[in-house]
Amino acid sequence: MKHFFHRLGTKISFIFIVFVLASSGFIFFFMHRGMKHMEEQLYDSRLEADINYIEDLIGSGSWNIKDGAIYLGDTLVGDGTDENANLEPFLAHEQKTGTFSYVFIICEDEGLGYVESTDTQKGYEQGHYLRVAGSTKDPDGNSIVGTYISKDVADVLDTYGEYKGEANVSGGIIYCLYHTLIGEDDKIVGAIVVGRSISEMKSFVTTTLITVIFSIVIIFAISASVLLVFIRHWTHTLEDVSSYMKLIEEGTFPEYKLQLRTHDEISQLAAGMNSLVEALKENSVLRIKSETDPLTGLANRFGLSRYSENIFEDSYKKHTPIAIFILDIDYFKQYNDNYGHPAGDEAIVMLSELIKDIAETHPLFASRYGGDEFLLIMHNYSKPDVEAVAEILRENLYNTNFVHAFSPISDRLTISQGICYGIPDDYQHMNDYLQLADSALYDVKEEGKNNYKIVDAQIHEEYHQDASNKS
């Protein structure tokens, strides 16, 4: 689970989810803040459409006043009396849409007074706009043609040419929009008002907002999905590159080339990685050749030097034991002189193959140290395990029955082994182990060959320190 959250794809997906949630939050926050403004705009746009529709129902042309009555083109709208009130368009619109509407004619302020309040309406001071036609009656069923607009609304219309807001009409709360009517001489000749119930308008606004929000959510979801597809494509591509690089980091050269279906910087990176791998493979082949003994296929002294430094340092840091073998073929000069150098090479190859076989069950590093001499390194093995390997190698060689008629100690090929075993400390280096192993090999040779000897590096180090202190 820990590594899962370390993956680039997981991090980007997490950031993407946070971004989507944050964006959604901001969208709904600002939509909530702008809801009131949007409601007013939707109210206004709906009522503007109602005004245009009413005008189309009445007739065509310009608004004008003739003989104390207001006209739209040549169509009489009314003069404030029931007899001349053109009610049909207003009633038809109200019946069809539920919208009430009136037309007013502008008049003088003279004679205007105060209308007393009733059970369904507050009292108000009359303004100079006279209602000449409309679609509703008062709560008692009487016509309200010939009544005046309130002075507050009239003053706003005179100043701004428009008024909008809530009103109590026939006992119900109505949202109204008033517009002045301009005649041919650019003077105000009257006003028109339309209104709808607040509940109806809210229902309309809610439906409209839900549609808008749903559309935004759909667009946002589609955009997010498309973006997520691209993100997943990019992260999968980067994961392919990362896996490829991890193989290289682990020392394994991929057998395949990165094939990315992109045409961007990542594709250029992949091409660079492919070129790098090819170069590393070539360098690796050259390095292996330079560190490999051509006769035996084991490491040569260059390979030994590179490996031994690293493994000795690792053994020192981890405080784990290390064993250094130095071994050679007994009486190899006599073998070479009597059987010839090609036969000597065959004996060396045979011994190297025995070492390789042992390395399959007891992992160790093996190198040809020079001539018939080999050097083996075993890391993190117990002393009995090291002794067992030395004995197995000696016995396996003897069991091959590789004839050596010119050996004073045996009728077949034998080896001698010197081994230094210990845990490196602050006072020791690789050369110290090599010298001790070489000294142990010399002792085996002096004692009759065809054997092995293990010396403890720590014992010799203690002796060396004691001798130094005494001196």
Side-chain angles (χ1 to χ4, degrees):
M1 182 64 70
K2 181 179 178 181
H3 294 296
F4 175 75
F5 286 105
H6 286 173
R7 293 174 57 190
L8 178 62
T10 304
K11 292 179 180 178
I12 293 179
S13 298
F14 176 76
I15 293 172
F16 177 76
I17 292 172
V18 172
F19 170 75
V20 169
L21 293 176
S23 300
S24 302
F26 277 116
I27 288 173
F28 284 105
F29 172 74
F30 285 112
M31 285 191 69
H32 178 73
R33 289 190 61 183
M35 191 75 73
K36 187 67 177 177
H37 180 65
M38 290 177 66
E39 285 182 355
E40 292 179 356
Q41 286 187 324
L42 289 170
Y43 289 171
D44 293 346
S45 63
R46 183 66 180 269
L47 295 178
E48 289 278 3
D50 285 329
I51 289 176
N52 294 332
Y53 186 56
I54 282 290
E55 290 181 329
D56 290 338
L57 289 176
I58 296 171
S60 61
S62 301
W63 291 95
N64 61 89
I65 297 177
K66 292 188 295 184
D67 302 326
I70 188 168
Y71 289 77
L72 179 57
D74 295 328
T75 304
L76 173 65
V77 179
D79 59 2
T81 65
D82 287 335
E83 292 77 17
N84 292 326
N86 185 357
L87 302 179
E88 184 62 30
F90 303 94
L91 295 174
H93 184 52
E94 183 181 24
Q95 185 177 12
K96 184 177 181 180
T97 64
T99 303
F100 83 84
S101 51
Y102 307 109
V103 169
F104 301 85
I105 187 172
I106 196 165
C107 57
E108 300 295 332
D109 289 331
E110 189 176 337
L112 299 180
Y114 184 83
V115 177
E116 297 296 333
S117 62
T118 65
D119 293 338
T120 59
Q121 185 171 302
K122 293 181 179 179
Y124 65 93
E125 188 176 352
Q126 294 175 331
H128 52 269
Y129 285 87
L130 177 67
R131 188 180 281 106
V132 297
S135 58
T136 59
K137 297 181 179 182
D138 66 17
D140 298 325
N142 300 317
S143 171
I144 54 177
V145 171
T147 58
Y148 291 90
I149 202 171
S150 72
K151 187 177 186 305
D152 292 341
V153 175
D155 291 341
V156 173
L157 286 173
D158 290 341
T159 304
Y160 300 105
E162 180 183 272
Y163 174 85
K164 55 187 174 183
E166 296 180 2
N168 189 325
V169 177
S170 299
I173 302 300
I174 304 297
Y175 187 85
C176 303
L177 176 63
Y178 294 77
H179 273 186
T180 55
L181 302 175
I182 307 299
E184 294 177 351
D185 56 357
D186 293 332
K187 290 185 178 180
I188 298 175
V189 296
I192 187 171
V193 59
V194 293
R196 288 177 179 263
S197 69
I198 292 296
S199 59
E200 179 193 347
M201 293 296 288
K202 284 187 178 296
S203 175
F204 165 72
V205 168
T206 301
T207 302
T208 304
L209 288 176
I210 289 175
T211 302
V212 171
I213 292 173
F214 183 74
S215 300
I216 291 175
V217 169
I218 291 297
I219 294 172
F220 189 79
I222 293 174
S223 301
S225 299
V226 172
L227 181 58
L228 183 61
V229 169
F230 279 106
I231 289 175
R232 293 305 300 164
H233 173 70
W234 291 328
T235 54
H236 280 305
T237 301
L238 289 174
E239 286 172 0
D240 289 342
V241 174
S242 177
S243 299
Y244 199 75
M245 293 179 65
K246 190 169 183 63
L247 289 175
I248 299 173
E249 182 183 356
E250 292 173 351
T252 303
F253 296 123
E255 296 298 327
Y256 63 94
K257 288 188 176 182
L258 275 174
Q259 301 292 338
L260 305 180
R261 296 184 298 275
T262 61
H263 301 283
D264 48 26
E265 289 82 356
I266 298 179
S267 180
Q268 297 175 8
L269 173 63
M273 292 293 298
N274 289 332
S275 299
L276 175 62
V277 168
E278 291 301 318
L280 289 174
K281 284 181 179 178
E282 292 178 3
N283 290 338
S284 178
V285 170
L286 293 175
R287 180 181 61 78
I288 291 173
K289 285 183 178 180
S290 67
E291 296 180 357
T292 303
D293 176 62
L295 179 63
T296 62
L298 300 177
N300 59 17
R301 279 192 176 243
F302 292 111
L304 169 64
S305 176
R306 190 172 68 89
Y307 177 83
S308 61
E309 290 176 2
N310 294 332
I311 198 65
F312 195 85
E313 181 69 17
D314 184 69
S315 182
Y316 167 73
K317 289 179 178 179
K318 296 179 179 178
H319 203 64
T320 52
I322 189 171
I324 307 297
F325 291 63
I326 297 181
L327 58 96
D328 64 9
I329 299 174
D330 296 327
Y331 298 103
F332 185 69
K333 183 178 185 303
Q334 289 81 350
Y335 190 92
N336 248 353
D337 290 345
N338 289 278
Y339 293 105
H341 290 285
D345 289 344
E346 288 180 10
I348 292 173
V349 170
M350 179 272 299
L351 179 57
S352 69
E353 293 301 320
L354 289 178
I355 293 172
K356 292 175 185 177
D357 290 340
I358 294 174
E360 291 181 359
T361 55
H362 298 78
L364 54 82
F365 175 83
S367 67
R368 186 183 179 192
Y369 203 44
D372 63 314
E373 198 168 36
F374 293 82
L375 188 144
L376 313 181
I377 300 176
M378 294 184 67
H379 177 234
N380 202 21
Y381 278 89
S382 66
K383 199 169 186 178
D385 288 336
V386 172
E387 291 179 352
V389 168
E391 184 61 36
I392 291 171
L393 182 57
R394 189 176 72 87
E395 291 180 356
N396 286 357
L397 175 60
Y398 187 82
N399 292 335
T400 60
N401 199 25
F402 213 87
V403 177
H404 188 352
F406 303 95
S407 171
I409 62 171
S410 176
D411 60 351
R412 63 192 73 182
L413 211 63
T414 60
I415 57 171
S416 296
Q417 306 173 68
I419 306 167
C420 177
Y421 180 88
I423 299 175
D425 57 30
D426 293 336
Y427 304 99
Q428 293 174 322
H429 302 283
M430 185 65 184
N431 284 338
D432 297 324
Y433 277 65
L434 290 174
Q435 291 176 7
L436 290 172
D438 192 58
S439 178
L441 175 62
Y442 179 80
D443 292 342
V444 173
K445 294 285 189 182
E446 287 292 310
E447 293 167 3
K449 302 181 177 62
N450 190 24
N451 207 344
Y452 63 87
K453 179 180 180 181
I454 298 180
V455 297
D456 194 315
Q458 272 65 41
I459 294 176
H460 286 76
E461 182 60 31
E462 290 172 4
Y463 174 78
H464 175 72
Q465 290 181 50
D466 290 342
S468 298
N469 291 335
K470 290 177 181 180
S471 62

